[in-house]
Amino acid sequence: MRIGDVAHRSGVSARALRYYEEQGLLHSERTAAGQRVYSEAAVERVQLIQQFFSAGLPSRTIAQLLPCVDTGTSSPEVFALLADERARITESMAALADARDALDRMIEIAHFPTPEHCPALREPIVEPLLQR
């Protein structure tokens, strides 16, 4: 199956497929003309890779997990890897929540400025002298 066929059937771009190959996640054969040829199983493999990406896993972690999928075996190290990735994602979520809360405070201040937050409100306004 050619790269365009795999891309169409799996719902990803040909560029993504080339990236997956660069990362060692997907394999193809080459024709004499250098074109990529994939097996039928490539579509299912790409869908699995997409599921891993949707779970927030980086390609380096996916590369470590795929041999377990291929052999149908696991190890304590794999479970530790997944737990570490979950902790990383949880940390990222907490950082994003903090950023959202800071932005909410900024929006509140923008709507209701006070002298504490807005230097322009601290300075007395000097009225121009009326011309006589």
Side-chain angles (χ1 to χ4, degrees):
M1 183 176 350
R2 298 177 84 176
I3 193 167
D5 298 325
V6 176
H8 177 73
R9 288 181 52 196
S10 62
V12 302
S13 67
R15 182 177 181 197
L17 295 175
R18 287 189 289 274
Y19 172 77
Y20 296 167
E21 281 195 57
E22 288 172 13
Q23 299 302 307
L25 308 177
L26 184 65
H27 304 286
S28 67
E29 300 294 324
R30 296 289 182 136
T31 67
Q35 295 179 333
R36 290 173 169 86
V37 179
Y38 297 91
S39 69
E40 280 294 319
V43 173
E44 186 176 348
R45 177 74 157 209
V46 170
Q47 291 168 340
L48 176 63
I49 292 167
Q50 286 294 297
Q51 288 177 338
F52 283 135
F53 278 127
S54 293
L57 299 177
S59 58
R60 71 179 182 283
T61 301
I62 297 170
Q64 292 175 280
L65 295 173
L66 286 173
C68 296
V69 172
D70 294 339
T71 62
T73 62
S74 189
S75 68
E77 293 81 16
V78 168
F79 289 110
L81 177 64
L82 291 172
D84 289 347
E85 289 297 334
R86 187 178 192 290
R88 180 189 58 80
I89 290 169
T90 299
E91 237 177 76
S92 294
M93 291 170 62
L96 282 171
D98 290 345
R100 181 202 54 219
D101 294 346
L103 183 57
D104 285 345
R105 287 190 297 277
M106 293 171 72
I107 291 169
E108 181 71 17
I109 290 167
H111 280 295
F112 307 103
T114 65
E116 175 188 3
H117 300 103
C118 184
L121 296 176
R122 289 183 217 142
E123 317 235 344
I125 298 175
V126 179
E127 301 266 340
L129 294 174
L130 295 175
Q131 293 190 5
R132 299 178 195 215

Coordinates of all heavy atoms in Angstrom, one line a residue, residues 29-108:
E29 N 8.7 -0.5 3.4 CA 9.7 -1.0 2.4 C 9.8 0.0 1.3 O 8.9 0.9 1.3 CB 9.2 -2.4 1.8 CG 9.0 -3.5 2.8 CD 10.3 -3.9 3.5 OE1 11.3 -3.9 2.8 OE2 10.2 -4.2 4.7
R30 N 10.8 -0.1 0.5 CA 11.0 0.9 -0.6 C 10.9 0.1 -1.9 O 11.5 -1.0 -2.0 CB 12.3 1.6 -0.5 CG 12.4 2.5 0.7 CD 11.6 3.7 0.6 NE 11.7 4.6 1.8 CZ 11.9 5.9 1.7 NH1 11.8 6.5 0.5 NH2 12.0 6.6 2.8
T31 N 10.3 0.8 -2.9 CA 10.3 0.2 -4.2 C 11.6 0.6 -4.9 O 12.4 1.3 -4.3 CB 9.2 0.8 -5.1 OG1 9.4 2.2 -5.3 CG2 7.8 0.6 -4.5
A32 N 11.9 0.0 -6.1 CA 13.1 0.3 -6.8 C 13.2 1.8 -7.1 O 14.3 2.4 -7.1 CB 13.2 -0.5 -8.1
A33 N 12.1 2.5 -7.2 CA 12.0 3.9 -7.4 C 12.1 4.7 -6.1 O 12.1 6.0 -6.2 CB 10.7 4.3 -8.2
G34 N 12.2 4.0 -5.0 CA 12.4 4.7 -3.7 C 11.1 5.1 -3.0 O 11.1 5.8 -2.0
Q35 N 9.9 4.7 -3.6 CA 8.6 5.0 -3.0 C 8.4 4.1 -1.8 O 8.7 2.9 -1.8 CB 7.5 4.9 -4.0 CG 7.6 5.9 -5.1 CD 6.5 5.8 -6.1 OE1 5.9 4.7 -6.3 NE2 6.2 6.9 -6.8
R36 N 7.7 4.6 -0.8 CA 7.4 3.8 0.4 C 6.2 2.9 0.1 O 5.2 3.3 -0.6 CB 7.0 4.7 1.5 CG 8.1 5.5 2.1 CD 7.5 6.5 3.1 NE 8.6 7.1 3.9 CZ 9.3 8.2 3.5 NH1 9.0 8.8 2.4 NH2 10.2 8.7 4.3
V37 N 6.3 1.7 0.6 CA 5.2 0.7 0.5 C 5.0 0.1 1.9 O 5.9 -0.3 2.5 CB 5.6 -0.4 -0.5 CG1 4.4 -1.4 -0.6 CG2 5.9 0.1 -1.9
Y38 N 3.7 0.2 2.3 CA 3.3 -0.3 3.6 C 2.5 -1.6 3.6 O 1.8 -1.8 2.6 CB 2.5 0.8 4.3 CG 3.3 2.1 4.6 CD1 3.2 3.1 3.6 CD2 4.0 2.3 5.7 CE1 3.9 4.3 3.8 CE2 4.7 3.5 6.0 CZ 4.6 4.5 5.0 OH 5.3 5.6 5.2
S39 N 2.5 -2.3 4.6 CA 1.7 -3.5 4.7 C 0.3 -3.0 5.1 O 0.1 -1.9 5.5 CB 2.2 -4.5 5.8 OG 2.1 -3.9 7.1
E40 N -0.7 -3.9 5.0 CA -2.1 -3.7 5.4 C -2.1 -3.3 6.9 O -2.9 -2.5 7.3 CB -3.0 -4.8 5.1 CG -3.4 -5.0 3.7 CD -4.4 -3.8 3.3 OE1 -5.2 -3.4 4.1 OE2 -4.2 -3.4 2.1
A41 N -1.2 -3.9 7.7 CA -1.2 -3.7 9.1 C -0.8 -2.2 9.5 O -1.0 -1.8 10.6 CB -0.3 -4.6 9.8
A42 N -0.3 -1.5 8.6 CA 0.2 -0.1 8.8 C -1.0 0.8 9.3 O -0.8 1.7 10.1 CB 0.9 0.4 7.6
V43 N -2.1 0.6 8.7 CA -3.3 1.4 9.0 C -3.6 1.3 10.5 O -3.8 2.3 11.2 CB -4.5 1.1 8.1 CG1 -5.7 1.9 8.6 CG2 -4.2 1.5 6.7
E44 N -3.7 0.1 10.9 CA -4.0 -0.2 12.4 C -2.9 0.3 13.3 O -3.1 0.9 14.3 CB -4.2 -1.7 12.6 CG -4.7 -2.0 14.0 CD -5.0 -3.5 14.2 OE1 -5.0 -4.3 13.2 OE2 -5.1 -3.9 15.3
R45 N -1.7 0.2 12.8 CA -0.5 0.7 13.6 C -0.6 2.2 13.7 O -0.4 2.7 14.8 CB 0.8 0.3 12.9 CG 2.1 0.7 13.5 CD 2.4 0.0 14.8 NE 3.8 0.0 15.1 CZ 4.4 -1.0 15.7 NH1 3.8 -2.0 16.1 NH2 5.6 -0.8 16.0
V46 N -0.9 2.9 12.7 CA -1.0 4.3 12.7 C -2.1 4.8 13.6 O -2.0 5.7 14.4 CB -1.2 4.9 11.3 CG1 -1.6 6.4 11.3 CG2 0.1 4.7 10.4
Q47 N -3.3 4.1 13.6 CA -4.4 4.4 14.5 C -4.0 4.2 16.0 O -4.3 5.0 16.8 CB -5.6 3.5 14.1 CG -6.2 4.0 12.8 CD -7.2 3.0 12.3 OE1 -7.3 1.8 12.7 NE2 -8.0 3.5 11.3
L48 N -3.2 3.2 16.2 CA -2.7 2.9 17.6 C -1.7 4.1 18.0 O -1.8 4.6 19.1 CB -1.9 1.6 17.7 CG -1.3 1.3 19.0 CD1 -2.3 1.2 20.1 CD2 -0.5 0.0 18.9
I49 N -0.8 4.5 17.1 CA 0.1 5.6 17.4 C -0.7 6.8 17.7 O -0.4 7.6 18.6 CB 1.1 5.8 16.2 CG1 2.0 4.6 16.1 CG2 1.8 7.1 16.3 CD1 2.8 4.5 14.8
Q50 N -1.8 7.1 16.9 CA -2.6 8.2 17.2 C -3.3 8.2 18.5 O -3.4 9.2 19.2 CB -3.7 8.3 16.1 CG -3.2 8.8 14.7 CD -2.7 10.2 14.8 OE1 -3.5 11.2 15.1 NE2 -1.4 10.4 14.6
Q51 N -3.7 7.0 19.0 CA -4.2 6.8 20.3 C -3.2 7.2 21.4 O -3.5 7.9 22.4 CB -4.8 5.4 20.5 CG -6.0 5.1 19.8 CD -6.5 3.7 20.0 OE1 -5.7 2.8 20.3 NE2 -7.7 3.4 19.7
F52 N -2.0 6.8 21.2 CA -0.9 7.1 22.1 C -0.7 8.6 22.2 O -0.5 9.2 23.2 CB 0.4 6.4 21.8 CG 0.4 4.9 22.2 CD1 0.9 4.0 21.3 CD2 0.1 4.5 23.4 CE1 1.0 2.6 21.6 CE2 0.1 3.2 23.8 CZ 0.6 2.2 22.9
F53 N -0.7 9.2 21.0 CA -0.5 10.7 20.9 C -1.7 11.4 21.6 O -1.5 12.4 22.3 CB -0.3 11.2 19.5 CG 1.1 11.1 19.0 CD1 1.3 10.4 17.8 CD2 2.2 11.6 19.6 CE1 2.6 10.3 17.2 CE2 3.5 11.5 19.1 CZ 3.7 10.9 17.9
S54 N -2.9 10.9 21.4 CA -4.0 11.5 22.0 C -4.0 11.4 23.5 O -4.6 12.2 24.2 CB -5.3 10.8 21.5 OG -5.5 11.1 20.2
A55 N -3.3 10.4 24.0 CA -3.1 10.2 25.5 C -2.0 11.1 26.0 O -1.7 11.1 27.2 CB -2.8 8.7 25.8
G56 N -1.4 11.9 25.2 CA -0.4 12.9 25.6 C 1.0 12.3 25.7 O 1.9 12.9 26.2
L57 N 1.2 11.2 25.1 CA 2.5 10.6 25.1 C 3.4 11.1 24.0 O 3.0 11.2 22.8 CB 2.4 9.0 25.0 CG 1.7 8.3 26.1 CD1 1.6 6.8 25.8 CD2 2.3 8.6 27.4
P58 N 4.7 11.4 24.3 CA 5.6 11.8 23.2 C 6.1 10.6 22.4 O 6.0 9.5 22.8 CB 6.7 12.5 24.0 CG 6.7 11.8 25.4 CD 5.3 11.5 25.6
S59 N 6.6 10.9 21.2 CA 7.0 9.8 20.3 C 8.1 9.0 21.0 O 8.1 7.8 20.7 CB 7.5 10.4 19.0 OG 8.5 11.3 19.2
R60 N 9.0 9.5 21.8 CA 10.1 8.7 22.4 C 9.5 7.7 23.3 O 9.9 6.5 23.4 CB 11.1 9.6 23.1 CG 10.6 10.2 24.4 CD 11.7 11.1 25.1 NE 11.1 11.6 26.3 CZ 10.3 12.6 26.4 NH1 9.9 13.3 25.3 NH2 9.9 13.0 27.6
T61 N 8.4 8.0 24.0 CA 7.7 7.1 24.9 C 6.9 6.0 24.1 O 7.0 4.8 24.4 CB 6.8 7.8 25.9 OG1 7.5 8.7 26.6 CG2 6.1 6.8 26.8
I62 N 6.3 6.5 23.0 CA 5.6 5.6 22.2 C 6.5 4.5 21.6 O 6.2 3.3 21.6 CB 4.8 6.3 21.1 CG1 3.8 7.2 21.7 CG2 4.2 5.3 20.1 CD1 3.1 8.2 20.7
A63 N 7.7 5.0 21.2 CA 8.7 4.0 20.7 C 9.1 3.0 21.7 O 9.4 1.8 21.3 CB 10.0 4.8 20.2
Q64 N 9.1 3.3 23.0 CA 9.4 2.3 24.0 C 8.2 1.4 24.3 O 8.4 0.3 24.7 CB 9.7 3.1 25.3 CG 11.0 3.8 25.2 CD 11.3 4.6 26.5 OE1 10.8 5.7 26.7 NE2 12.1 4.1 27.4
L65 N 7.0 1.8 24.0 CA 5.8 1.0 24.3 C 5.5 0.1 23.1 O 4.9 -1.0 23.4 CB 4.6 1.9 24.6 CG 4.7 2.8 25.8 CD1 3.5 3.7 25.9 CD2 4.8 1.9 27.1
L66 N 5.8 0.4 21.9 CA 5.3 -0.4 20.8 C 5.9 -1.8 20.8 O 5.2 -2.7 20.4 CB 5.7 0.3 19.5 CG 4.7 1.5 19.1 CD1 5.2 2.3 17.9 CD2 3.3 1.1 19.0
P67 N 7.1 -2.0 21.2 CA 7.6 -3.4 21.3 C 6.7 -4.3 22.3 O 6.5 -5.5 22.0 CB 9.0 -3.3 21.9 CG 9.5 -2.0 21.4 CD 8.2 -1.1 21.5
C68 N 6.2 -3.7 23.3 CA 5.3 -4.4 24.2 C 4.0 -4.7 23.5 O 3.5 -5.8 23.7 CB 5.0 -3.5 25.5 SG 6.4 -3.2 26.5
V69 N 3.5 -3.8 22.7 CA 2.3 -4.1 21.9 C 2.6 -5.2 20.9 O 1.8 -6.2 20.8 CB 1.8 -2.8 21.2 CG1 0.7 -3.1 20.2 CG2 1.4 -1.7 22.2
D70 N 3.7 -5.1 20.3 CA 4.1 -6.1 19.3 C 4.2 -7.5 19.8 O 3.9 -8.5 19.2 CB 5.4 -5.7 18.5 CG 5.2 -4.5 17.7 OD1 4.1 -4.1 17.4 OD2 6.3 -3.8 17.4
T71 N 4.8 -7.6 21.0 CA 5.0 -9.0 21.7 C 3.9 -9.4 22.6 O 3.8 -10.5 23.0 CB 6.3 -9.0 22.5 OG1 6.2 -8.0 23.5 CG2 7.5 -8.7 21.6
G72 N 3.0 -8.4 22.9 CA 1.9 -8.8 23.9 C 2.4 -9.0 25.3 O 1.7 -9.7 26.1
T73 N 3.5 -8.4 25.6 CA 4.1 -8.5 27.0 C 4.3 -7.2 27.6 O 4.3 -6.2 26.9 CB 5.4 -9.3 27.0 OG1 6.4 -8.5 26.2 CG2 5.3 -10.7 26.4
S74 N 4.5 -7.2 28.9 CA 4.7 -5.9 29.6 C 5.7 -6.2 30.7 O 6.2 -7.3 30.9 CB 3.4 -5.4 30.2 OG 3.6 -4.1 30.7
S75 N 6.1 -5.1 31.4 CA 7.1 -5.2 32.4 C 6.8 -4.2 33.5 O 6.1 -3.2 33.2 CB 8.5 -5.1 31.9 OG 8.7 -3.8 31.4
P76 N 7.4 -4.3 34.7 CA 7.3 -3.2 35.7 C 7.8 -1.9 35.2 O 7.3 -0.8 35.5 CB 8.1 -3.7 36.8 CG 8.1 -5.2 36.7 CD 8.1 -5.5 35.2
E77 N 8.9 -2.0 34.3 CA 9.4 -0.7 33.8 C 8.4 0.0 32.9 O 8.4 1.2 32.9 CB 10.7 -1.1 33.0 CG 11.9 -1.6 33.8 CD 11.8 -3.0 34.1 OE1 11.0 -3.8 33.5 OE2 12.5 -3.4 35.1
V78 N 7.7 -0.8 32.1 CA 6.7 -0.1 31.2 C 5.6 0.6 32.1 O 5.2 1.7 31.8 CB 6.0 -1.2 30.3 CG1 4.8 -0.6 29.6 CG2 7.1 -1.6 29.3
F79 N 5.1 -0.1 33.1 CA 4.1 0.5 34.0 C 4.7 1.7 34.7 O 4.0 2.8 34.9 CB 3.6 -0.5 35.0 CG 2.7 -1.5 34.4 CD1 3.1 -2.8 34.3 CD2 1.5 -1.2 33.8 CE1 2.3 -3.8 33.6 CE2 0.7 -2.1 33.2 CZ 1.1 -3.4 33.1
A80 N 6.0 1.7 35.1 CA 6.6 2.9 35.7 C 6.7 4.0 34.7 O 6.5 5.2 35.0 CB 8.0 2.5 36.2
L81 N 7.0 3.7 33.4 CA 7.1 4.7 32.4 C 5.8 5.4 32.2 O 5.7 6.6 32.1 CB 7.6 4.0 31.1 CG 7.6 4.9 29.8 CD1 8.7 6.0 30.0 CD2 7.9 4.0 28.6
L82 N 4.7 4.6 32.2 CA 3.4 5.1 32.0 C 3.0 6.0 33.2 O 2.4 7.0 33.1 CB 2.3 4.0 31.8 CG 2.5 3.3 30.4 CD1 1.5 2.1 30.4 CD2 2.2 4.2 29.3
A83 N 3.4 5.5 34.4 CA 3.1 6.3 35.6 C 3.8 7.6 35.6 O 3.3 8.7 36.0 CB 3.4 5.5 36.9
D84 N 5.1 7.6 35.1 CA 5.8 8.9 35.0 C 5.2 9.8 34.0 O 5.1 11.0 34.2 CB 7.3 8.6 34.5 CG 8.1 7.9 35.6 OD1 7.7 7.9 36.8 OD2 9.2 7.4 35.3
E85 N 4.7 9.3 32.9 CA 4.1 10.1 31.9 C 2.8 10.7 32.4 O 2.5 11.9 32.2 CB 3.8 9.3 30.6 CG 5.0 9.0 29.8 CD 5.7 10.2 29.3 OE1 5.1 11.3 29.1 OE2 6.9 10.1 29.0
R86 N 2.1 9.9 33.2 CA 0.8 10.4 33.8 C 1.2 11.6 34.8 O 0.5 12.6 34.8 CB 0.1 9.3 34.6 CG -1.3 9.8 35.1 CD -2.0 8.7 35.8 NE -3.4 9.0 36.0 CZ -3.8 9.9 36.9 NH1 -3.0 10.6 37.6 NH2 -5.1 10.2 37.0
A87 N 2.2 11.4 35.6 CA 2.6 12.5 36.5 C 3.1 13.7 35.8 O 2.7 14.8 36.2 CB 3.8 12.0 37.4
R88 N 3.7 13.6 34.6 CA 4.1 14.7 33.8 C 2.9 15.5 33.3 O 2.9 16.7 33.4 CB 5.0 14.2 32.6 CG 5.5 15.4 31.7 CD 6.2 14.8 30.5 NE 5.3 13.9 29.7 CZ 4.4 14.4 28.8 NH1 4.1 15.6 28.7 NH2 3.7 13.5 28.1
I89 N 1.9 14.7 32.8 CA 0.7 15.3 32.3 C 0.0 16.1 33.5 O -0.5 17.2 33.3 CB -0.2 14.3 31.6 CG1 0.5 13.8 30.3 CG2 -1.6 14.8 31.4 CD1 -0.1 12.6 29.7
T90 N -0.1 15.4 34.6 CA -0.8 16.0 35.8 C -0.1 17.3 36.2 O -0.7 18.4 36.4 CB -0.8 15.1 37.0 OG1 -1.5 13.9 36.6 CG2 -1.5 15.7 38.2
E91 N 1.3 17.3 36.1 CA 2.0 18.6 36.4 C 1.7 19.7 35.4 O 1.5 20.8 35.8 CB 3.5 18.2 36.3 CG 4.3 18.5 37.6 CD 5.7 18.1 37.4 OE1 6.5 18.8 36.7 OE2 6.1 17.1 38.0
S92 N 1.7 19.3 34.1 CA 1.3 20.2 33.1 C -0.1 20.8 33.3 O -0.3 22.0 33.1 CB 1.4 19.6 31.7 OG 2.8 19.2 31.4
M93 N -1.0 20.0 33.7 CA -2.4 20.4 33.9 C -2.4 21.4 35.1 O -3.1 22.4 35.0 CB -3.3 19.2 34.2 CG -3.5 18.3 33.0 SD -4.4 16.8 33.4 CE -5.9 17.4 34.0
A94 N -1.6 21.2 36.1 CA -1.6 22.1 37.2 C -1.0 23.4 36.8 O -1.5 24.5 37.2 CB -0.8 21.5 38.4
A95 N 0.0 23.4 36.0 CA 0.7 24.6 35.5 C -0.3 25.4 34.6 O -0.4 26.6 34.7 CB 2.0 24.3 34.8
L96 N -1.0 24.7 33.8 CA -2.1 25.4 33.0 C -3.2 26.0 33.8 O -3.7 27.1 33.5 CB -2.6 24.4 31.9 CG -1.8 24.1 30.7 CD1 -2.4 23.0 29.9 CD2 -1.6 25.4 29.9
A97 N -3.6 25.3 34.9 CA -4.6 25.8 35.8 C -4.1 27.1 36.5 O -4.9 28.1 36.6 CB -5.0 24.8 36.8
D98 N -2.8 27.1 36.9 CA -2.3 28.3 37.5 C -2.2 29.4 36.5 O -2.6 30.6 36.8 CB -0.8 28.0 38.0 CG -0.8 27.1 39.2 OD1 -1.9 26.9 39.8 OD2 0.3 26.6 39.5
A99 N -1.9 29.2 35.2 CA -1.8 30.2 34.2 C -3.2 30.7 34.0 O -3.4 31.9 33.8 CB -1.2 29.6 32.9
R100 N -4.2 29.8 33.9 CA -5.6 30.3 33.7 C -6.1 31.2 34.8 O -6.7 32.2 34.6 CB -6.5 29.1 33.6 CG -8.0 29.4 33.3 CD -9.0 28.4 33.8 NE -8.7 28.0 35.1 CZ -8.8 26.8 35.6 NH1 -9.1 25.8 34.8 NH2 -8.6 26.5 36.9
D101 N -5.7 30.8 36.1 CA -6.1 31.6 37.2 C -5.5 33.0 37.2 O -6.1 34.0 37.5 CB -5.8 30.9 38.5 CG -6.6 29.6 38.7 OD1 -7.6 29.4 38.0 OD2 -6.2 28.8 39.6
A102 N -4.2 33.0 36.8 CA -3.5 34.3 36.7 C -4.2 35.2 35.6 O -4.3 36.4 35.8 CB -2.0 34.1 36.4
L103 N -4.5 34.6 34.5 CA -5.2 35.3 33.5 C -6.6 35.8 33.9 O -7.0 36.9 33.6 CB -5.4 34.4 32.2 CG -6.0 35.1 31.0 CD1 -5.2 36.4 30.6 CD2 -6.1 34.1 29.8
D104 N -7.3 35.0 34.7 CA -8.6 35.4 35.2 C -8.4 36.7 36.1 O -9.2 37.6 36.1 CB -9.2 34.3 36.1 CG -9.8 33.2 35.2 OD1 -10.0 33.4 34.0 OD2 -10.1 32.1 35.7
R105 N -7.3 36.7 36.9 CA -7.1 37.9 37.8 C -6.8 39.1 36.9 O -7.3 40.2 37.2 CB -5.9 37.6 38.7 CG -6.3 36.6 39.9 CD -5.2 36.5 40.9 NE -3.9 36.0 40.4 CZ -3.6 34.7 40.3 NH1 -4.6 33.8 40.6 NH2 -2.5 34.3 39.9
M106 N -6.0 38.9 35.8 CA -5.7 40.0 35.0 C -7.0 40.6 34.3 O -7.2 41.8 34.1 CB -4.7 39.6 33.9 CG -3.3 39.3 34.5 SD -2.2 38.6 33.4 CE -1.8 40.0 32.3
I107 N -7.9 39.7 33.9 CA -9.1 40.1 33.3 C -10.0 40.9 34.3 O -10.5 41.9 33.9 CB -9.9 38.9 32.7 CG1 -9.1 38.3 31.5 CG2 -11.3 39.2 32.4 CD1 -9.6 36.9 31.1
E108 N -10.0 40.4 35.5 CA -10.8 41.1 36.5 C -10.2 42.5 36.8 O -11.0 43.5 36.9 CB -10.7 40.3 37.8 CG -11.5 40.9 39.0 CD -13.0 40.8 38.8 OE1 -13.5 40.0 38.0 OE2 -13.7 41.6 39.5

